Amino acid sequence: MQDLVELSMFPLGSVLFPAMPLPLRVFEDRYLQMLQDVLARESAEFGVVLIERGHEVGGGEQRFSTGTVAQVVEVGPADGFVSLVAQGGRRFEVVEWLPDDPYPRALVRLLPALEWDEQWRDRRDEVEELVRVTMARISEFEEQRWSSTIGLADEPLAALWQLAAIAPVGAYDQVSLLQATSVEGLLDAVATATQEAAELRLPD
């Protein structure tokens, strides 16, 4: 059994994927304290999970158990809050939530990284085309967070996670994507979720 790691946790209303940036505005006292403690450690890392029910502000929310380690790469003061940018890294599974004192913390087990093989290159290109075409079509009717022409990383696994992150699917589907145990499974899940999104959100 892998060793457990204690992480400071930042439950959010969105999913963080590996190889994706996370811009945050931190203003709650408990998370300002968390950020101070995180920055005092060499790794400057914290965990991000999606809130299942409840709100980001004030606590008391229910949280999903699969998340992503975020590493702080940029931080600075702003008007009434602290602005920071973190980068998604390893995925994890929450084993036990610890008391929220003074901020959320959990014991987590890091999940193994997916293993890329060039045999998946053509399939990945097909799924990327599906995602980009669907994004472009949906953008004609809805404002999208990501452009259909956004660039992806050169490194294959990073690019695959980024593709999952920009796919035009809801947060609950994103959690399922984050739980993928293989490259093949992730590609199939991204394709299926994207096709279902197109059926639901595009006019006949």
Side-chain angles (χ1 to χ4, degrees):
M1 179 178 293
Q2 291 180 320
D3 292 338
L4 302 184
V5 177
E6 181 178 331
L7 277 180
S8 305
M9 301 292 286
F10 207 137
L12 292 174
S14 58
V15 176
L16 175 64
F17 282 89
M20 289 297 291
L22 175 67
L24 284 176
R25 293 181 174 185
V26 183
F27 55 89
E28 274 194 88
D29 287 343
R30 59 179 178 158
Y31 290 120
L32 290 170
Q33 178 64 55
M34 186 194 84
L35 181 59
Q36 180 177 329
D37 293 347
V38 164
L39 292 175
R41 297 191 285 268
E42 185 176 354
S43 62
E45 292 178 339
F46 58 93
V48 174
V49 291
L50 177 69
I51 294 172
E52 185 173 6
R53 286 189 294 274
H55 303 280
E56 294 179 11
V57 178
E61 71 281 339
Q62 293 185 338
R63 309 148 182 168
F64 282 93
S65 60
T66 303
T68 304
V69 176
Q71 183 173 44
V72 178
V73 295
E74 183 180 325
V75 63
D79 186 15
F81 56 88
V82 174
S83 175
L84 71 87
V85 177
Q87 182 80 1
R90 291 281 300 276
R91 298 171 299 149
F92 62 78
E93 177 184 33
V94 173
V95 175
E96 179 185 357
W97 285 98
L98 302 174
D100 285 13
D101 183 17
Y103 47 75
R105 297 172 300 123
L107 291 176
V108 309
R109 180 179 295 113
L110 296 176
L111 297 176
L114 301 186
E115 296 184 10
W116 173 261
D117 189 294
E118 280 300 309
Q119 68 173 312
W120 301 116
R121 176 73 65 176
D122 289 345
R123 174 62 172 155
R124 202 219 68 169
D125 290 347
E126 292 173 1
V127 175
E128 180 177 347
E129 179 69 12
L130 171 66
V131 168
R132 291 188 185 278
V133 168
T134 305
M135 291 171 69
R137 293 177 62 198
I138 291 177
S139 68
E140 298 176 11
F141 305 95
E142 304 175 14
E143 184 175 349
Q144 298 294 296
R145 179 181 181 186
W146 307 106
S147 166
S148 62
T149 60
I150 188 172
L152 302 178
D154 293 331
E155 199 280 315
L157 270 180
L160 179 55
W161 282 119
Q162 290 169 350
L163 183 63
I166 67 172
V169 303
Y172 284 13
D173 284 327
Q174 288 185 320
V175 172
S176 294
L177 300 182
L178 194 63
Q179 295 170 338
T181 58
S182 68
V183 167
E184 180 182 18
L186 180 56
L187 285 168
D188 289 345
V190 171
T192 298
T194 300
Q195 290 166 339
E196 291 175 349
E199 293 172 0
L200 288 172
R201 297 162 64 182
L202 289 173
D204 295 334

